[in-house]
PDB file of all heavy atoms in Angstrom:
ATOM      1  N   ALA Z 425     -23.202  54.596  29.539  1.00 96.00           N
ATOM      2  CA  ALA Z 425     -22.734  53.258  29.223  1.00 96.00           C
ATOM      3  C   ALA Z 425     -23.314  52.250  30.215  1.00 96.00           C
ATOM      4  O   ALA Z 425     -23.687  51.132  29.846  1.00 96.00           O
ATOM      5  CB  ALA Z 425     -21.206  53.208  29.256  1.00 96.00           C
ATOM      6  N   LEU Z 426     -23.404  52.668  31.471  1.00 97.00           N
ATOM      7  CA  LEU Z 426     -23.952  51.766  32.492  1.00 97.00           C
ATOM      8  C   LEU Z 426     -25.409  51.432  32.204  1.00 97.00           C
ATOM      9  O   LEU Z 426     -25.821  50.274  32.304  1.00 97.00           O
ATOM     10  CB  LEU Z 426     -23.804  52.381  33.887  1.00 97.00           C
ATOM     11  CG  LEU Z 426     -24.466  51.597  35.023  1.00 97.00           C
ATOM     12  CD1 LEU Z 426     -23.888  50.190  35.126  1.00 97.00           C
ATOM     13  CD2 LEU Z 426     -24.305  52.320  36.356  1.00 97.00           C
ATOM     14  N   SER Z 427     -26.187  52.441  31.810  1.00 97.00           N
ATOM     15  CA  SER Z 427     -27.615  52.137  31.632  1.00 97.00           C
ATOM     16  C   SER Z 427     -27.837  51.227  30.432  1.00 97.00           C
ATOM     17  O   SER Z 427     -28.704  50.361  30.464  1.00 97.00           O
ATOM     18  CB  SER Z 427     -28.444  53.425  31.555  1.00 97.00           C
ATOM     19  OG  SER Z 427     -28.212  54.054  30.335  1.00 97.00           O
ATOM     20  N   THR Z 428     -27.017  51.394  29.382  1.00 96.00           N
ATOM     21  CA  THR Z 428     -27.118  50.462  28.248  1.00 96.00           C
ATOM     22  C   THR Z 428     -26.727  49.046  28.673  1.00 96.00           C
ATOM     23  O   THR Z 428     -27.412  48.071  28.370  1.00 96.00           O
ATOM     24  CB  THR Z 428     -26.174  50.894  27.102  1.00 96.00           C
ATOM     25  OG1 THR Z 428     -26.430  52.243  26.798  1.00 96.00           O
ATOM     26  CG2 THR Z 428     -26.394  50.043  25.863  1.00 96.00           C
ATOM     27  N   GLU Z 429     -25.624  48.957  29.387  1.00 97.00           N
ATOM     28  CA  GLU Z 429     -25.088  47.645  29.736  1.00 97.00           C
ATOM     29  C   GLU Z 429     -25.974  46.931  30.754  1.00 97.00           C
ATOM     30  O   GLU Z 429     -26.070  45.706  30.750  1.00 97.00           O
ATOM     31  CB  GLU Z 429     -23.660  47.796  30.275  1.00 97.00           C
ATOM     32  CG  GLU Z 429     -22.750  46.643  29.934  1.00 97.00           C
ATOM     33  CD  GLU Z 429     -22.710  46.272  28.448  1.00 97.00           C
ATOM     34  OE1 GLU Z 429     -22.825  47.163  27.596  1.00 97.00           O
ATOM     35  OE2 GLU Z 429     -22.580  45.068  28.155  1.00 97.00           O
ATOM     36  N   ARG Z 430     -26.620  47.701  31.611  1.00 97.00           N
ATOM     37  CA  ARG Z 430     -27.538  47.098  32.568  1.00 97.00           C
ATOM     38  C   ARG Z 430     -28.667  46.385  31.818  1.00 97.00           C
ATOM     39  O   ARG Z 430     -29.060  45.275  32.167  1.00 97.00           O
ATOM     40  CB  ARG Z 430     -28.099  48.167  33.496  1.00 97.00           C
ATOM     41  CG  ARG Z 430     -28.855  47.572  34.665  1.00 97.00           C
ATOM     42  CD  ARG Z 430     -29.663  48.582  35.425  1.00 97.00           C
ATOM     43  NE  ARG Z 430     -28.836  49.562  36.123  1.00 97.00           N
ATOM     44  CZ  ARG Z 430     -28.845  50.866  35.842  1.00 97.00           C
ATOM     45  NH1 ARG Z 430     -29.617  51.337  34.884  1.00 97.00           N
ATOM     46  NH2 ARG Z 430     -28.095  51.698  36.521  1.00 97.00           N
ATOM     47  N   GLU Z 431     -29.163  47.028  30.756  1.00 96.00           N
ATOM     48  CA  GLU Z 431     -30.205  46.400  29.933  1.00 96.00           C
ATOM     49  C   GLU Z 431     -29.681  45.116  29.292  1.00 96.00           C
ATOM     50  O   GLU Z 431     -30.389  44.112  29.234  1.00 96.00           O
ATOM     51  CB  GLU Z 431     -30.685  47.370  28.843  1.00 96.00           C
ATOM     52  CG  GLU Z 431     -31.429  48.586  29.378  1.00 96.00           C
ATOM     53  CD  GLU Z 431     -32.550  48.203  30.330  1.00 96.00           C
ATOM     54  OE1 GLU Z 431     -33.336  47.301  29.970  1.00 96.00           O
ATOM     55  OE2 GLU Z 431     -32.632  48.778  31.440  1.00 96.00           O
ATOM     56  N   VAL Z 432     -28.450  45.175  28.791  1.00 97.00           N
ATOM     57  CA  VAL Z 432     -27.856  43.991  28.161  1.00 97.00           C
ATOM     58  C   VAL Z 432     -27.797  42.841  29.165  1.00 97.00           C
ATOM     59  O   VAL Z 432     -28.144  41.699  28.845  1.00 97.00           O
ATOM     60  CB  VAL Z 432     -26.436  44.301  27.622  1.00 97.00           C
ATOM     61  CG1 VAL Z 432     -25.725  43.014  27.190  1.00 97.00           C
ATOM     62  CG2 VAL Z 432     -26.502  45.282  26.460  1.00 97.00           C
ATOM     63  N   VAL Z 433     -27.383  43.147  30.397  1.00 98.00           N
ATOM     64  CA  VAL Z 433     -27.264  42.101  31.412  1.00 98.00           C
ATOM     65  C   VAL Z 433     -28.639  41.564  31.812  1.00 98.00           C
ATOM     66  O   VAL Z 433     -28.802  40.363  32.025  1.00 98.00           O
ATOM     67  CB  VAL Z 433     -26.468  42.614  32.629  1.00 98.00           C
ATOM     68  CG1 VAL Z 433     -26.579  41.644  33.805  1.00 98.00           C
ATOM     69  CG2 VAL Z 433     -25.010  42.827  32.250  1.00 98.00           C
ATOM     70  N   LEU Z 434     -29.623  42.432  31.883  1.00 97.00           N
ATOM     71  CA  LEU Z 434     -30.970  41.947  32.206  1.00 97.00           C
ATOM     72  C   LEU Z 434     -31.504  41.061  31.074  1.00 97.00           C
ATOM     73  O   LEU Z 434     -32.197  40.073  31.327  1.00 97.00           O
ATOM     74  CB  LEU Z 434     -31.908  43.122  32.505  1.00 97.00           C
ATOM     75  CG  LEU Z 434     -31.597  43.824  33.851  1.00 97.00           C
ATOM     76  CD1 LEU Z 434     -32.397  45.123  33.992  1.00 97.00           C
ATOM     77  CD2 LEU Z 434     -31.888  42.903  35.050  1.00 97.00           C
ATOM     78  N   GLU Z 435     -31.151  41.394  29.822  1.00 97.00           N
ATOM     79  CA  GLU Z 435     -31.511  40.502  28.704  1.00 97.00           C
ATOM     80  C   GLU Z 435     -30.787  39.166  28.840  1.00 97.00           C
ATOM     81  O   GLU Z 435     -31.348  38.105  28.578  1.00 97.00           O
ATOM     82  CB  GLU Z 435     -31.167  41.132  27.346  1.00 97.00           C
ATOM     83  CG  GLU Z 435     -31.999  42.350  26.963  1.00 97.00           C
ATOM     84  CD  GLU Z 435     -33.496  42.078  26.963  1.00 97.00           C
ATOM     85  OE1 GLU Z 435     -33.907  40.939  26.670  1.00 97.00           O
ATOM     86  OE2 GLU Z 435     -34.265  43.010  27.278  1.00 97.00           O
ATOM     87  N   GLU Z 436     -29.527  39.232  29.242  1.00 97.00           N
ATOM     88  CA  GLU Z 436     -28.749  38.005  29.440  1.00 97.00           C
ATOM     89  C   GLU Z 436     -29.404  37.142  30.519  1.00 97.00           C
ATOM     90  O   GLU Z 436     -29.484  35.923  30.408  1.00 97.00           O
ATOM     91  CB  GLU Z 436     -27.304  38.354  29.834  1.00 97.00           C
ATOM     92  CG  GLU Z 436     -26.420  37.139  30.003  1.00 97.00           C
ATOM     93  CD  GLU Z 436     -24.976  37.473  30.400  1.00 97.00           C
ATOM     94  OE1 GLU Z 436     -24.634  38.667  30.564  1.00 97.00           O
ATOM     95  OE2 GLU Z 436     -24.188  36.525  30.561  1.00 97.00           O
ATOM     96  N   ARG Z 437     -29.887  37.791  31.572  1.00 98.00           N
ATOM     97  CA  ARG Z 437     -30.556  37.067  32.652  1.00 98.00           C
ATOM     98  C   ARG Z 437     -31.850  36.409  32.159  1.00 98.00           C
ATOM     99  O   ARG Z 437     -32.139  35.261  32.484  1.00 98.00           O
ATOM    100  CB  ARG Z 437     -30.870  38.025  33.806  1.00 98.00           C
ATOM    101  CG  ARG Z 437     -30.907  37.348  35.164  1.00 98.00           C
ATOM    102  CD  ARG Z 437     -31.518  38.184  36.277  1.00 98.00           C
ATOM    103  NE  ARG Z 437     -32.622  37.421  36.808  1.00 98.00           N
ATOM    104  CZ  ARG Z 437     -32.487  36.433  37.700  1.00 98.00           C
ATOM    105  NH1 ARG Z 437     -31.311  36.142  38.189  1.00 98.00           N
ATOM    106  NH2 ARG Z 437     -33.523  35.743  38.094  1.00 98.00           N
ATOM    107  N   ARG Z 438     -32.612  37.131  31.356  1.00 97.00           N
ATOM    108  CA  ARG Z 438     -33.837  36.541  30.796  1.00 97.00           C
ATOM    109  C   ARG Z 438     -33.499  35.327  29.949  1.00 97.00           C
ATOM    110  O   ARG Z 438     -34.173  34.301  30.008  1.00 97.00           O
ATOM    111  CB  ARG Z 438     -34.586  37.571  29.944  1.00 97.00           C
ATOM    112  CG  ARG Z 438     -35.186  38.695  30.765  1.00 97.00           C
ATOM    113  CD  ARG Z 438     -35.987  39.680  29.919  1.00 97.00           C
ATOM    114  NE  ARG Z 438     -36.487  40.734  30.795  1.00 97.00           N
ATOM    115  CZ  ARG Z 438     -35.987  41.962  30.858  1.00 97.00           C
ATOM    116  NH1 ARG Z 438     -34.983  42.296  30.051  1.00 97.00           N
ATOM    117  NH2 ARG Z 438     -36.471  42.844  31.702  1.00 97.00           N
ATOM    118  N   LEU Z 439     -32.444  35.475  29.150  1.00 97.00           N
ATOM    119  CA  LEU Z 439     -32.054  34.407  28.225  1.00 97.00           C
ATOM    120  C   LEU Z 439     -31.582  33.164  28.968  1.00 97.00           C
ATOM    121  O   LEU Z 439     -31.958  32.045  28.644  1.00 97.00           O
ATOM    122  CB  LEU Z 439     -30.933  34.933  27.312  1.00 97.00           C
ATOM    123  CG  LEU Z 439     -30.336  33.963  26.307  1.00 97.00           C
ATOM    124  CD1 LEU Z 439     -31.362  33.607  25.244  1.00 97.00           C
ATOM    125  CD2 LEU Z 439     -29.104  34.588  25.645  1.00 97.00           C
ATOM    126  N   ARG Z 440     -30.731  33.359  29.978  1.00 96.00           N
ATOM    127  CA  ARG Z 440     -30.128  32.212  30.664  1.00 96.00           C
ATOM    128  C   ARG Z 440     -31.033  31.619  31.735  1.00 96.00           C
ATOM    129  O   ARG Z 440     -31.010  30.417  31.973  1.00 96.00           O
ATOM    130  CB  ARG Z 440     -28.830  32.642  31.371  1.00 96.00           C
ATOM    131  CG  ARG Z 440     -27.695  32.983  30.453  1.00 96.00           C
ATOM    132  CD  ARG Z 440     -26.458  33.295  31.313  1.00 96.00           C
ATOM    133  NE  ARG Z 440     -25.388  33.917  30.566  1.00 96.00           N
ATOM    134  CZ  ARG Z 440     -24.494  33.224  29.842  1.00 96.00           C
ATOM    135  NH1 ARG Z 440     -24.574  31.908  29.779  1.00 96.00           N
ATOM    136  NH2 ARG Z 440     -23.541  33.859  29.193  1.00 96.00           N
ATOM    137  N   THR Z 441     -31.804  32.473  32.426  1.00 97.00           N
ATOM    138  CA  THR Z 441     -32.492  32.032  33.627  1.00 97.00           C
ATOM    139  C   THR Z 441     -33.998  32.202  33.573  1.00 97.00           C
ATOM    140  O   THR Z 441     -34.751  31.242  33.677  1.00 97.00           O
ATOM    141  CB  THR Z 441     -31.958  32.811  34.850  1.00 97.00           C
ATOM    142  OG1 THR Z 441     -30.530  32.676  34.888  1.00 97.00           O
ATOM    143  CG2 THR Z 441     -32.544  32.257  36.134  1.00 97.00           C
ATOM    144  N   ASP Z 442     -34.462  33.450  33.413  1.00 97.00           N
ATOM    145  CA  ASP Z 442     -35.876  33.738  33.623  1.00 97.00           C
ATOM    146  C   ASP Z 442     -36.785  32.982  32.658  1.00 97.00           C
ATOM    147  O   ASP Z 442     -37.897  32.601  33.015  1.00 97.00           O
ATOM    148  CB  ASP Z 442     -36.142  35.246  33.490  1.00 97.00           C
ATOM    149  CG  ASP Z 442     -35.368  36.035  34.533  1.00 97.00           C
ATOM    150  OD1 ASP Z 442     -35.146  35.493  35.641  1.00 97.00           O
ATOM    151  OD2 ASP Z 442     -34.956  37.170  34.232  1.00 97.00           O
TER     152      ASP Z 442
END
Side-chain angles (χ1 to χ4, degrees):
Chain Z
L426 174 60
S427 72
T428 308
E429 213 52 34
R430 191 192 293 116
E431 293 309 312
V432 170
V433 168
L434 289 170
E435 292 304 329
E436 182 180 1
R437 209 193 122 81
R438 291 183 182 105
L439 178 68
R440 290 184 193 277
T441 306
D442 299 329

